[in-house]
Amino acid sequence: MPVVNEVAISRVAFAELRRLVEAEVSGGDPAKVADATLRPYGAENQWNPNAVDVYELLLDQGLIRGRKAAGAFLFAGVSQHGISFVADYDEEEMLRKRALWSDRRFQLYLSLVTLVLSAFAGWVAGHF
């Protein structure tokens, strides 16, 4: 579950937010992305209830703008908080991966030093 600045959303909600933010940042139309998710059947009055729930969650967290309507959701745009949420999450992931690789490098170095010292100790023991 992605958590940034003590705001937690589900992975499904985060994936949708990322799609919206990418459309916003790249100069695309996030409203078209939202419409394709909210109304995948193409009909004006058929809303995907699961997608409506996701958008309501994003709205409640302040990550998007819009309003709830009887069984529907009227998307108005991505908030700056939503754009920052995705950017902050990406930065935290990069730092986490960097720390993980740093730890792995240390473990590899330690293993190599142990191997060399063990080989040297075996060689010395074999000659005496």
Side-chain angles (χ1 to χ4, degrees), residues 7 53-64 68 73:
V7 174
D53 290 343
V54 168
Y55 275 74
E56 287 177 356
L57 170 77
L58 293 173
L59 177 68
D60 292 342
Q61 296 294 335
L63 302 172
I64 62 172
K68 303 171 188 179
F73 186 87

Side-chain angles (χ1 to χ4, degrees), residues 50-96:
N50 295 328
V52 170
D53 290 343
V54 168
Y55 275 74
E56 287 177 356
L57 170 77
L58 293 173
L59 177 68
D60 292 342
Q61 296 294 335
L63 302 172
I64 62 172
R65 293 184 312 272
R67 63 188 160 108
K68 303 171 188 179
F73 186 87
L74 305 174
F75 178 77
V78 181
S79 68
Q80 184 58 47
H81 183 57
I83 295 170
S84 297
F85 185 91
V86 171
D88 291 348
Y89 178 80
D90 290 344
E91 185 176 339
E92 286 180 13
E93 274 296 297
M94 182 188 63
L95 293 174
R96 186 189 64 78

Side-chain angles (χ1 to χ4, degrees), residues 17-34 78:
L17 177 63
R18 180 179 290 285
R19 289 180 52 216
L20 293 168
V21 168
E22 286 173 356
E24 179 81 26
V25 172
S26 69
D29 188 2
K32 286 184 180 178
V33 173
V78 181

Side-chain angles (χ1 to χ4, degrees), residues 3-17:
V3 178
V4 176
N5 299 329
E6 299 178 11
V7 174
I9 60 174
S10 68
R11 291 199 181 278
V12 172
F14 181 74
E16 188 62 24
L17 177 63

Side-chain angles (χ1 to χ4, degrees), residues 35-51:
D35 193 50
T37 302
L38 290 166
R39 296 184 306 139
Y41 317 112
E44 296 245 350
N45 59 353
Q46 287 186 318
W47 296 81
N48 179 346
N50 295 328

